[in-house]
Amino acid sequence: MNSNLVSRRSLVSAAALLSVAPGLALAQSWPSKPVRLVVAGPAGASADLVARLISEPLSRELGQPVIVDNKPGAAGAIAIGDLLQSPRDGHTLLVGVNSLVSEIPHIVKLRWDMFKEIRPVAELARSGLVFVANPSVPANNLKEFIAYAKANPGKLNYASYSPGTLSHVLGLLLNQAAGIQLMHVGYKGSSPALTDVMGNHVPLMFDGVATSLPLIKAGKIKAFAVSSPKRIPQLPDVPTFHELGYPQLDALAWMGLWTTPDVPAPVQARVREATLKVLSDKALAAKMLDTGFDIGLPRSVDDLNKGLKADYDRVGGVLQSINFKPE
């Protein structure tokens, strides 16, 4: 073989090794200090519950403390800004719902392109939303409620935990599918919205299972249907929208672990490997279920990104139909 060709190939191989060597070295030493989970939500909210469930087993797996750091506000933008301003070495990760990419850009004018700025590492947990009502609403099931809503067009309000999110969009889809006229009232989070539902100021809401479940069990609100494709074990008597004849309302929200795309690939792979190992524990899955979540599926990063794009397009289409404009 030509000696010059061999020499050129050797140089190319050496250059390739040098280009990945820093990332490999970092992956081998990572984590070299505590890992911080920036949580896109306040204490007690869904993202916080999930982050605290995984933090201890993830710490054992990584051999370093894993610290939960809540950064609520601005529809997740404060938490995202914290992640983007942190060193891109994998020691700062984000825990947040898929809506950070699929919904929030439709709601708030962000200075970032979310599909380029953050990248899912793993799906931690998933759950549908539940359609809940104040106990005084004169209906015992969805069929009775829709009949009541048709008899009172434009007189019934429903809350969402934030305008433009799935909590808002599902109400719009129910209006279209059932031929009713629920009026939307947007809130800044589940807690204030649920407080008003319990007080009958806004009698209806589409909410996450984790935050509504304790109130449903306590009889402070009642549930008509869930948006998940199958009934959830925590509410076995509550039917799905699909089985009630409204497949348009099939929807799942998932909580993810996120990083930035420029964190070295070997570090991202190590984070994902450790996270999936933690999620495979049956005891953790049981704790998730008690909280109101199913354990996340081990979907590939490519599959997660494809799902985000599909959800982004779906939500955008619904919001465009009502001329919704971002703030």
Side-chain angles (χ1 to χ4, degrees), residues 188-313:
K188 293 183 178 180
S190 287
S191 295
L194 286 170
T195 297
D196 276 5
V197 172
M198 287 187 290
N200 205 28
H201 303 296
V202 179
L204 307 158
M205 183 180 180
F206 286 89
D207 189 41
V209 174
T211 44
S212 280
L213 185 61
L215 303 178
I216 296 170
K217 290 184 174 180
K220 295 181 178 180
I221 56 177
K222 58 184 176 183
F224 289 138
V226 294
S227 72
S228 50
K230 61 181 181 179
R231 295 194 185 198
I232 62 173
Q234 305 93 326
L235 298 170
D237 297 328
V238 179
T240 68
F241 280 105
H242 197 123
E243 67 184 277
L244 295 174
Y246 298 98
Q248 306 94 322
L249 276 77
D250 280 1
L252 280 171
W254 53 270
M255 197 67 62
L257 186 65
W258 310 76
T259 186
T260 56
D262 53 353
V263 167
V267 173
Q268 293 188 45
R270 174 73 180 113
V271 174
R272 178 174 168 82
E273 176 190 32
T275 304
L276 292 181
K277 185 174 181 180
V278 165
L279 295 175
S280 68
D281 182 66
K282 292 182 179 179
L284 178 63
K287 290 178 182 178
M288 286 276 194
L289 202 59
D290 287 342
T291 308
F293 296 100
D294 284 328
I295 203 81
L297 299 180
R299 293 191 288 165
S300 70
V301 173
D302 284 345
D303 283 345
L304 292 173
N305 279 319
K306 288 176 183 177
L308 288 169
K309 184 62 169 64
D311 290 343
Y312 176 86
D313 291 342

Side-chain angles (χ1 to χ4, degrees), residues 51-62:
R52 293 184 188 281
L53 282 174
I54 69 163
S55 61
E56 186 176 337
L58 192 58
S59 175
R60 290 196 298 268
E61 181 64 26
L62 296 176

Side-chain angles (χ1 to χ4, degrees), residues 172-192:
L172 300 177
L173 290 173
L174 183 59
N175 279 345
Q176 293 174 2
I180 57 178
Q181 296 178 35
L182 304 181
M183 308 304 291
H184 172 250
V185 181
Y187 284 77
K188 293 183 178 180
S190 287
S191 295

Side-chain angles (χ1 to χ4, degrees), residues 72-91:
I78 291 175
I80 294 164
D82 188 301
L83 175 70
L84 298 181
Q85 292 166 14
S86 300
R88 309 296 177 92
D89 58 6
H91 287 97

Side-chain angles (χ1 to χ4, degrees), residues 134-157:
N134 183 278
S136 67
V137 172
N140 296 313
N141 53 54
L142 187 66
K143 182 178 179 180
E144 291 179 2
F145 169 75
I146 289 173
Y148 174 65
K150 286 183 176 179
N152 294 275
K155 296 180 181 179
L156 296 173
N157 297 330

